[in-house]
Amino acid sequence: MKEAYPVIDGAESLFFEGNDTGVLLCHGFLGTPQSLREVAEGLADQGYTVSVPRLPGHGTHYKDLNSCSFSDWYLEIENAYLELDSQCREVFVIGQSMGGTLTLDLAAQYSGISGITLINPAMDIPAFSHLEQASVPLYIEEGKPDIKDPGAVEITYTHTPLTAYQELLKYMKVVRRKLSGIRCPLTCFVSRVDNVVPPENTDYILKKVSSQSVSKYVLENSYHVASMDYDKEQIIEELLSYLEAHSSIDHRKKVSP
């Protein structure tokens, strides 16, 4: 799809070149790579190669979302994964909210992914279900991002096309049918209080996947956009431990005696 509006300053895709372990980060619905910047930088500081693509229709103007399908979003993530996979010996994927949906879809397609991490992943959002067959309003007014920290400012939209919500709802249904095909190691972060995606989504995913290695961390002091909230340092710390535990590559610096 071709976007009609320029990218908002700060919403651009991110890439940090590092070692042979690649980490792909997927932002959520209406978000941008900015929502994952601190997590991405935390991983890159430890030497990992990190990619955070901007999903089509995001980070420009909400009218650009009128022309997007969920296939456009998936293809962007798939292309970013294939690029990382061509550069690195192994690739992990991390997704927040709808980014978690995209991550699960990707893992169902590519068995070579070394592991996935989900942050408040979206599989079913009952509060949006009334929009599935709606024809009005054409644009839905958005409230403030669901972040507990009042000092955090996320780049997002003030309005969203109804069609974009309908694409999200369709996509979650599509991915729910693919969960049993996921076998790679999986870890989840779930906020105890999430005012957008019910925390039960995470338990549903953990029950449906076929992964032998699964784990869950409860975030006590964050809302939905946890990567920008009070628990972001905990997320980074746990992610680094997870990557070290599941990587097949020893990145530790060799120290001469």
Side-chain angles (χ1 to χ4, degrees), residues 52 58 62 69 82 85 107 121 130 136 156 160 171 175 182 195 204 225 238 245 249:
V52 195
H58 291 70
Y62 60 82
S69 69
L82 293 173
D85 192 48
H130 68 285
V136 291
T156 186
T160 306
Y171 190 43
V175 177
I182 296 169
N195 299 298
Y204 175 84
V225 191
E238 295 292 350
I249 305 170

Side-chain angles (χ1 to χ4, degrees), residues 72-137:
D72 294 319
W73 302 330
Y74 175 78
L75 287 173
E76 186 69 28
I77 292 300
E78 183 181 50
N79 288 336
Y81 165 72
L82 293 173
E83 184 175 345
L84 261 187
D85 192 48
S86 70
Q87 298 177 39
C88 299
R89 289 165 55 192
E90 61 182 3
V91 177
F92 293 83
V93 186
I94 301 167
Q96 178 165 253
S97 190
M98 187 185 76
T101 319
L102 289 159
T103 297
L104 290 164
D105 197 2
L106 194 70
Q109 178 68 26
Y110 293 94
S111 60
I113 291 174
S114 295
I116 61 174
T117 300
L118 311 176
I119 306 171
N120 293 324
M123 275 287 98
D124 182 35
I125 309 176
F128 296 167
S129 60
H130 68 285
L131 300 174
E132 190 168 8
Q133 303 298 328
S135 57
V136 291

Side-chain angles (χ1 to χ4, degrees), residues 174-192:
V174 167
V175 177
R176 284 202 294 271
R177 296 194 291 267
K178 299 182 180 183
L179 294 179
S180 63
I182 296 169
R183 293 176 171 80
C184 64
L186 165 64
T187 189
C188 295
F189 293 93
V190 57
S191 296
R192 191 173 296 281

Side-chain angles (χ1 to χ4, degrees), residues 14-25 39-52 84 87-94 114 236-253:
L14 304 171
F15 188 85
F16 303 94
E17 187 168 355
N19 57 35
D20 288 336
T21 297
V23 186
L24 173 62
L25 279 77
V39 173
E41 290 176 343
L43 302 181
D45 286 347
Q46 297 303 310
Y48 294 104
T49 296
V50 182
S51 174
V52 195
L84 261 187
Q87 298 177 39
C88 299
R89 289 165 55 192
E90 61 182 3
V91 177
F92 293 83
V93 186
I94 301 167
S114 295
I236 294 169
E237 182 178 334
E238 295 292 350
L239 282 174
L240 290 171
S241 296
Y242 174 79
L243 291 170
E244 184 176 346
H246 291 279
S247 174
S248 61
I249 305 170
D250 187 353
H251 294 299
R252 290 174 295 181
K253 293 180 180 179

Side-chain angles (χ1 to χ4, degrees), residues 202-218:
T202 294
D203 293 328
Y204 175 84
I205 291 165
L206 290 171
K207 289 177 182 176
K208 294 293 184 179
V209 296
S210 300
S211 304
Q212 295 298 307
S213 173
V214 297
S215 57
K216 181 176 79 168
Y217 297 91
V218 176

Side-chain angles (χ1 to χ4, degrees), residues 18 30 38 41 60 77 87 122 159 179 205 229 231 238 256:
L30 308 185
E38 290 182 84
E41 290 176 343
T60 57
I77 292 300
Q87 298 177 39
H159 294 76
L179 294 179
I205 291 165
D229 220 328
D231 292 315
E238 295 292 350
S256 301

